[in-house]
Amino acid sequence: MTRVFSGIQPTGHLTLGNYLGAMRRWAEVDQHRADSLFCVVDLHALTVDHDPARLRRLSRQTATLLLAAGLDPEVCTLFLQSHVDEHTRLSYLLECVATDGEMRRMIQYKEKAAKQRERGGSLRLSLLTYPVLMAADILAYGTDEVPVGVDQTQHVELARDVAVRFNQRYGHTFVVPRTTLPPVAARVMNLQDPTRKMGKSDESGTGVVYLLDEPDTVRKKVLRAVTDSGREVVYDRAAQPGLANLLDILAACTGGSPESLAAGYDSYGALKKDTAEAVVEVLRPVRDRHRELCADPAYVEGVLREGAEKARALARPTVDAAYRAIGLLAPVAEPSPSAAP
C-alpha cells in the first residue's frame, strides 16, 4: 500500500490556507487511499525565536484541529515529531550526506534569514539545516508520497536527492519519495496582499482567515479583501491576483472551477459576499468539532500517545538499517539476567 507522510508546523494559528491547501485533502482523500502518517513537526518550530509555553499550546491546538478537520486515528497515524526519537537520530546521518551548498540554496532559508537580519536577530544553525530534518521526517517511514504546498516542493526534492545519494554510497536503504500537489487552492494567498501566501505567522492578521475565527470575523476579513482595478470579474492570476485569490477560495469551498465561477459574477461585491459565506460554512464543522475535542483533552492525548507508538515502530527498522549501512556499530545488548555467569 502506498505510504503518505506530511507534517505541519505549530508556529502560529492554523489558517484557511492550511485547511484548503492541505488538511482537508488529508482527511477526505489521503488517509483513505494510503497508509498515511500526519505529524505536528514541533521541532521545526525551534528554528526561530519562540515562547516555550506558546509552542506547547499551539502544538496541542494544531493536533486538535487536525482531528477536527477529519483525521481519523483509526485510519491514519497522527503524532508529534518530538515524541519519536527516530527523526533526530536520522537527521544527523543525513547531515553527513547533504551539502552546505544545498542548504544555502533553499528558498525558504534565504527568505527567513533575510527577515531575521532585518529584525537585527541572529540566525540559528537549525534554520539552515532543518530541511535535512524534514528529509529525515519523510525518509524514516519509507514514504512514497508527500502531499505539500508548492512552497515546500524544493524540500521534498532535497529529500529525494539525499535518499538517492545515500542509497548509492551505502546500499539501498530509503524509498525515494515524490511530491503530490492538491489540484485547487494549493496556495491560498493573503487577502490584503495577494502576492503573499496566507501564512500562520502573519503579524497583522487582517489578511488571514484563521480556522478558529468567529463567523463575523471571517466575513469582515473576506469583505475587506483587496481587489484589483477594473470592473470585469475574470480569473487571471497575473493581471488580477486579488480576484483570482477570491475565486480560488470560492472554488475550493464549493467544488467549482475558478474560471466558470468568474463567469457568474458581474460585480466584486457579490463575489466577496458569496466567498465569505462559503468560507464560514466550510469552517463551521471544523470549529464545532474542535470545541467538542477541547472538552475531552484525554482523548487527544491518547491519540498522540498511540500515534507516536505506531510511528516509532514504523520508523525504527529503517533508521536502524541506515545506522548499519553508514558504518556504525549496533549497540551491545545487555546480557540476559538468566544467563549463566
Side-chain angles (χ1 to χ4, degrees):
M1 192 176 187
T2 298
R3 180 162 290 167
V4 166
F5 176 94
S6 200
I8 192 164
Q9 289 192 44
T11 49
H13 298 289
L14 296 183
T15 73
L16 178 67
N18 297 127
Y19 181 70
L20 296 180
M23 295 164 61
R24 185 174 65 174
R25 181 176 174 83
W26 294 353
E28 295 181 354
V29 179
D30 291 326
Q31 70 172 339
H32 299 292
R33 70 176 179 84
D35 178 12
S36 299
L37 297 100
F38 301 105
C39 182
V40 179
V41 287
D42 49 350
L43 294 175
H44 291 304
L46 307 182
T47 60
V48 294
D49 291 342
H50 68 281
D51 173 61
R54 183 173 187 266
L55 175 59
R56 285 189 286 270
R57 289 195 304 271
L58 288 175
S59 295
R60 176 182 292 276
Q61 184 185 90
T62 299
T64 305
L65 279 168
L66 288 171
L67 291 170
L71 291 189
D72 183 350
E74 298 298 321
V75 176
C76 68
T77 303
L78 174 63
F79 63 103
L80 262 63
Q81 180 189 29
S82 63
H83 291 178
V84 181
D85 293 343
E86 279 64 29
H87 291 252
T88 50
R89 286 183 62 209
L90 181 56
S91 182
Y92 180 73
L93 295 196
L94 299 185
E95 284 188 13
C96 297
V97 177
T99 69
D100 177 76
E102 286 175 318
M103 297 300 98
R104 296 185 187 281
R105 285 194 295 271
M106 293 288 116
I107 294 171
Q108 286 209 351
Y109 168 72
K110 293 179 181 179
E111 293 176 348
K112 291 181 179 180
K115 289 180 181 178
Q116 284 293 96
R117 292 190 184 99
E118 288 175 5
R119 296 168 181 166
S122 59
L123 297 180
R124 298 184 181 186
L125 179 61
S126 56
L127 185 62
L128 178 66
T129 60
Y130 95 88
V132 178
L133 177 57
M134 182 174 172
D137 300 338
I138 296 165
L139 299 181
Y141 297 99
T143 302
D144 299 294
E145 296 182 9
V146 188
V148 294
V150 293
D151 58 326
Q152 291 290 336
T153 56
Q154 189 184 31
H155 290 159
V156 181
E157 286 303 310
L158 175 71
R160 288 173 54 84
D161 292 342
V162 170
V164 169
R165 192 176 305 148
F166 192 102
N167 290 346
Q168 290 174 342
R169 290 181 182 175
Y170 306 113
H172 184 78
T173 306
F174 299 118
V175 173
V176 179
R178 60 184 179 274
T179 301
T180 56
L181 296 172
V184 176
R187 191 174 173 87
V188 176
M189 310 307 282
N190 188 292
L191 294 173
Q192 291 299 314
D193 181 0
T195 64
R196 297 188 295 117
K197 79 169 187 175
M198 187 179 285
K200 299 188 297 293
S201 302
D202 186 279
E203 294 180 355
S204 69
T206 56
V208 179
V209 174
Y210 297 105
L211 298 189
L212 297 180
D213 276 346
E214 293 293 332
D216 283 347
T217 300
V218 172
R219 292 185 181 98
K220 288 178 182 177
K221 288 181 177 180
V222 176
L223 291 174
R224 293 172 181 172
V226 168
T227 49
D228 311 283
S229 59
R231 297 180 178 179
E232 188 179 3
V233 178
V234 295
Y235 183 73
D236 187 333
R237 269 202 169 275
Q240 295 185 306
L243 281 177
N245 190 37
L246 290 171
L247 288 164
D248 276 337
I249 292 170
L250 182 59
C253 290
T254 62
S257 73
E259 294 84 358
S260 61
L261 286 169
Y265 290 93
D266 56 14
S267 74
Y268 296 173
L271 172 61
K272 286 183 175 183
K273 182 178 179 181
D274 285 356
T275 302
E277 293 305 320
V279 172
V280 167
E281 289 308 310
V282 85
L283 295 185
R284 190 183 304 280
V286 178
R287 294 178 67 256
D288 291 345
R289 179 59 177 151
H290 178 266
R291 191 180 304 112
E292 294 171 0
L293 290 167
C294 286
D296 189 5
Y299 171 76
V300 177
E301 291 171 1
V303 167
L304 295 177
R305 181 174 58 252
E306 293 175 11
E309 291 171 358
K310 290 167 61 178
R312 200 175 298 119
L314 287 171
R316 185 166 295 162
T318 298
V319 177
D320 286 349
Y323 268 62
R324 291 192 300 269
I326 207 169
L328 299 175
L329 282 174
V332 178
E334 290 286 340
S336 171
S338 60

